[in-house]
Amino acid sequence: MSTITTGPSAPAEEDTSSSAARWASSLLRSVGGQNVSLIGALAVVLVLFGSLNDNYLGWNNIQGIGEAITIMGLLTVVQTVVIICGGLDVSVGSQAGLASVVSAMAFTSTGSNALLGMGAAIGIGAFAGLLNGLIIVYGRVNPVIATLAGLAAYKGIAQLISDGRAQGYVLNDSIFIFLGRGKVAGLPVMVWILILVALGVHVLLKYTDIGRNVYAIGGNDTAARLAGININKYLVCVYILIGAVSAVAGILLTARTGSGQPVSGSEGLELKAITAAALGGCVLKGGKGGIGGIILAVALLGALENGLTVQGINAFWQNVAQGALLVVAVVIQQRRNGERAVGLPA
């Protein structure tokens, strides 16, 4: 005769469900609500355009998206650093265009020496960043105004030295070919460069005293100054970093297109970088932001732009979508921070 044992199973089920809820809550906290939203939006974009075009989710197109977002991604990563620090740089696109021209012209003038061409580009980029930083810190000029002047000046210099035309031809050089078209472990070299730069900046911000000081300056510059942080030095160094990485983006632009581009390929990158930074969780008044959300935002913008292009939608609509995304990102930030609307009672 068998004995049937009965007992309360509800508590066990409740324990299981509460454990799952705690696990989900812990996962959400570690990933971040902002990043979860970006992952969801990216999934929607991929599924939508994948259902409209069979080739959209193909490996070749995915690699193409990766290559297309690399230059914007590099500029967004360093834009994130300066935004966290409480500043802004709207001249990154012009700096990339100037570096692109310099890399190609130095390459051809030095007997096709790729390393000298790249070194000259990074040098001019770092100098442009240094100039921006000095104007902002010691000229006491608002960062937006100072870098807006840089946007016009660096673009003008690039056009002057190139006569407004593409310069040189670099695709007869193995180094430029490797940078622009090479692959490592199945991924384009350009994508690997973005990954390495993003990881480096992530480690810098999250695990070093330098990163903690950058957050402190953006969060409360008065408290940071009283804590003994040399704010002027940090700001100048941040703008030098932006210039150097913008130059790397310019070198990749040269490698990808085969020649130095004074404007084409770099114009409008500053707006894309700011949009991606805002979407990725950077608070534009400083003190908050991270690289994980930035990479997701860059991927989202790249997937959306590629999908619109694949569907044959007018490129002008991409600008409309980009502007709308920037407004949405800033509105969400304002709501999350509990800031009252301008001109309305709290």
Side-chain angles (χ1 to χ4, degrees):
M1 182 175 180
S2 61
T3 302
I4 299 176
T5 303
T6 60
S9 59
E13 293 176 359
E14 289 176 4
D15 289 343
T16 302
S17 62
S18 63
S19 176
R22 286 195 299 270
W23 179 84
S25 177
S26 175
L27 179 63
L28 181 61
R29 283 196 302 272
S30 62
V31 175
Q34 176 85 15
N35 292 350
V36 170
S37 300
L38 288 171
I39 291 170
L42 179 59
V44 169
V45 169
L46 293 175
V47 170
L48 173 63
F49 288 112
S51 64
L52 294 174
N53 189 301
D54 294 336
N55 296 322
Y56 180 75
L57 294 177
W59 181 238
N60 287 336
N61 192 56
I62 295 296
Q63 289 186 91
I65 293 174
E67 291 178 345
I69 67 174
T70 296
I71 295 172
M72 175 181 66
L74 288 171
L75 299 181
T76 304
V77 166
V78 289
Q79 188 73 260
T80 298
V81 179
V82 76
I83 289 175
I84 291 172
C85 206
L88 196 68
D89 192 337
V90 297
S91 68
V92 289
S94 293
Q95 291 181 59
L98 176 58
S100 175
V101 170
V102 169
S103 67
M105 294 181 71
F107 169 75
T108 55
S109 63
T110 56
S112 300
N113 190 316
L115 295 180
L116 284 178
M118 294 175 191
I122 293 174
I124 199 69
F127 179 76
L130 172 63
L131 193 58
N132 282 345
L134 292 176
I135 292 171
I136 291 166
V137 170
Y138 297 105
R140 301 183 183 274
V141 179
N142 181 282
V144 175
I145 301 302
T147 56
L148 189 61
L151 167 69
Y154 303 140
K155 178 180 177 180
I157 293 171
Q159 291 174 317
L160 281 171
I161 64 176
S162 66
D163 200 24
R165 298 192 299 267
Q167 293 293 312
Y169 181 76
V170 302
L171 293 184
N172 54 359
D173 179 83
S174 59
I175 296 178
F176 275 108
I177 292 173
F178 178 70
L179 289 176
R181 305 185 180 185
K183 293 184 180 180
V184 174
L187 281 178
V189 172
M190 294 178 66
V191 175
W192 281 114
I193 292 173
L194 173 59
I195 291 171
L196 291 174
V197 171
L199 282 175
V201 172
H202 173 71
V203 171
L204 178 72
L205 289 175
K206 192 168 184 179
Y207 299 106
T208 69
D209 289 338
I210 293 174
R212 285 185 281 273
N213 290 342
V214 166
Y215 279 104
I217 292 169
N220 189 327
D221 59 347
T222 301
R225 184 177 291 106
L226 293 174
I229 298 173
N230 189 330
I231 295 177
N232 289 351
K233 181 178 74 175
Y234 269 88
L235 285 174
V236 171
C237 288
V238 163
Y239 279 98
I240 291 174
L241 174 66
I242 288 181
V245 176
S246 296
V248 172
I251 291 168
L252 294 181
L253 176 61
T254 300
R256 190 177 181 207
T257 60
S259 59
Q261 303 292 330
V263 176
S264 178
S266 61
E267 194 168 33
L269 286 175
E270 49 283 319
L271 178 59
K272 290 183 179 181
I274 294 170
T275 301
L279 280 174
C282 279
V283 176
L284 296 181
K285 64 181 181 180
K288 292 182 181 179
I291 298 302
I294 296 306
I295 296 302
L296 287 172
V298 168
L300 173 61
L301 287 177
L304 178 62
E305 186 174 307
N306 180 268
L308 294 173
T309 301
V310 168
Q311 289 304 117
I313 296 174
N314 192 312
F316 297 145
W317 282 108
Q318 297 176 17
N319 295 330
V320 174
Q322 186 177 298
L325 282 173
L326 179 57
V327 171
V328 169
V330 174
V331 167
I332 292 173
Q333 282 184 13
Q334 300 288 88
R335 296 297 184 184
R336 283 183 173 175
N337 295 333
E339 297 183 16
R340 71 178 180 86
V342 176
L344 295 179

